[in-house]
Amino acid sequence: MLRKEQNELLTRTGPGTTMGEMFRRYWIPALLAEELAEKDGPQVRVRLLSEKLIGFRDSEGRYGLIDEFCAHRGVSLWFGRNEECGLRCPYHGWKYDVTGQCVEIPSEAKARGYRAGIRLRAYPMVARGGVLWTYMGPPAHQPALPEFEFAMVPPEQTYMSKRLQYCNWLQAMEGGIDSSHVSWLHRDALRSDPLMQGSRGNQYNLGDAMPVFEVAEHPAGLFIAARRNAEGGNYYWRITPWCMPSFTMIPPRGTHPVHGHFWIPLDDENCWAWSFDYHPARALTAAELQAMRDGKGIHTRTIPGTYIPLANRDNDYLMDRAAQKAGATYSGVAGIAMQDASLQESMGPIVDRTREHLLSTDTGIVKARLRLMRAARALQKGEPPPGTDPATHRVRSAAVILPADATFVEAAREALMARPGMAPASV
Ligand code: FES
Ligand SMILES: [Fe+2]
């Protein structure tokens, strides 16, 4: 349970908010590289941390992320013309380059000196691992580019998708570090999803629905471990790294690719669920890629031309009561992504955490909230937040069997580090 002001602190990420200031100290995913594939191609609206921006790619292939609205009289530059190294407002022709600098005011002969002083807010945007990342914080504190393993492996080993989720980023992220719900909500997927099925670990997940949680700190965040009974008095551990502020990685299953998420606020009541799958040691197979495009695993099918899920709140997530009754799905909603999103959206745009009743299986969530609040408050006093150094991003999830007396964070130390070319530790 949180006090009202703690819930406010954690969930508000607009300009000037405590958590917003902290989010702005990290590189975060802004767009899929495929959204700005062509030079001088169509620009796209980007809403991030409650700011309205426009992303575009200029004639030289440079990426720009600038204020959505023209400095002249506030027209949305989504209507603009992307041409000759800049975005031109269609109202009176003012033109801006990728740095937000106004480079032309063609409607007035004497505007030359005047335009030099006109510059739209702009943030850097850089491609890495199929993602266009942005940094929206103070330029003096801009860290080196992120080095999460999914973004560093060769392109044929990694796949990224994103979908819009209609709720605050934190309640979506809290689902990402909550291993306990898998034994319930996703039990059908463990049996039938092509990107999950067939691993021995699934049996432990289904066989022991009362995991015991342990949490250990790492420099960028936490390792959240859920322990279930295995044979011979050993334990099956599923270990989820969480990196501040909102990167989570799901433990692997068998020889399947590994997956995880970024949960990025558009504004306080909506977030992007970024979803990646990669294998550190091999290319993804054609069948795996097809399954991901078909919305299997943690991905989802979206309305063509958008990143809005096909099953969404307007159609009750295609609820199938017969499938629910027959046990084909546990909640009646199909697919892991929308099983999660439907329930998280059902809590309302920002869940009231003053009314919750937490248990020991929520330990990871409690500790992550505490770490976020502590870091956000410390930043207000000038202490830089943890996890901005790319060296701290080189973590991995793991699924391992350990003897009963082992301490997970020590026994699985190697397995929890990104090791180029090495397969994940997985059961
Ligand atoms: S409003 Fe953009 S040029 Fe006038
Ligand atoms: Fe889930």
Side-chain angles (χ1 to χ4, degrees):
M1 195 174 102
L2 289 180
R3 293 197 306 278
K4 187 164 180 290
E5 59 276 17
Q6 293 175 314
N7 202 28
E8 289 286 303
L9 185 150
L10 283 166
T11 53
R12 306 284 174 192
T13 60
T17 59
T18 306
M19 192 56 60
E21 299 278 298
M22 197 171 80
F23 255 98
R24 285 168 174 76
R25 298 295 283 267
Y26 298 87
W27 285 95
I28 55 174
L31 291 168
L32 286 163
E34 70 185 29
E35 293 181 81
L36 293 178
E38 292 166 40
K39 297 175 186 173
D40 286 338
Q43 64 273 34
V44 293
R45 296 186 187 93
V46 180
R47 196 144 46 99
L48 271 184
L49 308 179
S50 299
E51 294 187 37
K52 289 186 168 176
L53 305 163
I54 286 283
F56 70 107
R57 195 166 184 197
D58 77 3
S59 318
E60 304 287 325
R62 290 174 294 219
Y63 296 106
L65 185 61
I66 65 174
D67 194 335
E68 179 178 345
F69 303 102
C70 179
H72 180 212
R73 278 172 37 216
V75 159
S76 169
L77 294 171
W78 185 77
F79 291 94
R81 302 172 59 87
N82 187 10
E83 58 189 15
E84 294 157 347
C85 279
L87 202 52
R88 190 186 292 281
C89 177
Y91 214 6
H92 314 92
W94 291 30
K95 183 175 172 186
Y96 305 90
D97 70 13
V98 289
T99 69
Q101 178 63 49
C102 181
V103 291
E104 258 185 63
I105 299 185
S107 55
E108 201 155 318
K110 292 199 199 101
R112 217 183 149 68
Y114 181 69
R115 72 151 168 78
I118 306 263
R119 192 184 193 118
L120 294 178
R121 190 164 30 108
Y123 301 117
M125 193 157 64
V126 179
R128 172 168 279 186
V131 174
L132 303 182
W133 305 80
T134 189
Y135 171 78
M136 295 168 66
H141 294 291
Q142 182 176 317
L145 285 174
E147 292 190 15
F148 298 100
E149 195 176 28
F150 79 84
M152 304 305 285
V153 295
E156 63 276 14
Q157 293 178 212
T158 190
Y159 176 85
M160 177 66 102
S161 71
K162 71 171 191 181
R163 63 175 165 80
L164 186 58
Q165 183 161 333
Y166 300 107
C167 72
N168 181 262
W169 75 279
L170 185 63
Q171 72 208 52
M173 190 194 87
E174 288 178 349
I177 53 176
D178 164 22
S179 182
S180 164
H181 77 279
V182 176
S183 304
W184 308 95
L185 181 61
H186 304 314
R187 56 174 56 196
D188 64 299
L190 298 184
R191 296 198 189 96
S192 60
D193 190 287
L195 297 167
M196 307 262 157
Q197 68 188 6
S199 97
R200 188 151 58 92
N202 296 351
Q203 299 315 312
Y204 304 125
N205 254 134
L206 294 167
D208 182 357
M210 290 199 275
V212 175
F213 275 68
E214 286 184 25
V215 178
E217 303 258 335
H218 72 77
L222 301 172
F223 289 119
I224 298 162
R227 189 188 88 191
R228 291 178 173 84
N229 293 322
E231 304 86 354
N234 294 323
Y235 290 131
Y236 168 66
W237 290 88
R238 293 184 62 73
I239 310 170
T240 300
W242 164 67
C243 292
M244 303 237 320
S246 68
F247 171 83
T248 57
M249 209 170 147
I250 301 165
R253 294 185 184 278
T255 55
H256 290 300
V258 205
H259 35 252
H261 301 277
F262 271 99
W263 314 93
I264 300 295
L266 278 80
D267 53 34
D268 293 343
E269 301 194 347
N270 301 281
C271 67
W272 288 114
W274 288 81
S275 307
F276 62 83
D277 250 283
Y278 76 102
H279 198 290
R282 64 165 172 85
L284 302 178
T285 67
E288 285 167 345
L289 281 168
Q290 192 56 49
M292 291 167 199
R293 289 189 201 107
D294 288 344
K296 303 297 184 192
I298 61 167
H299 306 279
T300 196
R301 291 184 59 209
T302 48
I303 297 170
T306 77
Y307 295 95
I308 298 169
L310 275 176
N312 58 54
R313 61 187 179 182
D314 294 328
N315 53 28
D316 273 336
Y317 309 94
L318 307 175
M319 168 62 75
D320 183 342
R321 293 289 180 203
Q324 186 184 35
K325 194 148 255 171
T329 58
Y330 194 69
S331 76
V333 172
I336 293 167
M338 295 323 292
Q339 286 167 355
D340 285 325
S342 57
L343 303 193
Q344 292 157 5
E345 291 176 6
S346 79
M347 300 167 173
I350 303 180
V351 68
D352 181 357
R353 292 183 175 78
T354 66
R355 294 160 56 109
E356 62 191 7
H357 297 84
L358 302 184
L359 294 169
S360 70
T361 47
D362 301 306
T363 306
I365 291 171
V366 171
K367 295 233 163 121
R369 290 175 186 174
L370 285 173
R371 187 102 192 250
L372 282 167
M373 286 192 286
R374 211 182 331 131
R377 289 195 183 112
L379 177 60
Q380 299 288 304
K381 297 193 187 109
E383 191 183 312
T388 57
D389 177 353
T392 64
H393 301 164
R394 298 182 206 132
V395 291
R396 266 195 195 168
S397 58
V400 287
I401 307 265
L402 297 176
D405 58 354
T407 309
F408 87 84
V409 74
E410 280 162 22
R413 184 174 299 278
E414 279 225 323
L416 295 172
M417 292 186 320
R419 290 166 298 160
M422 301 277 287
S426 178
V427 178

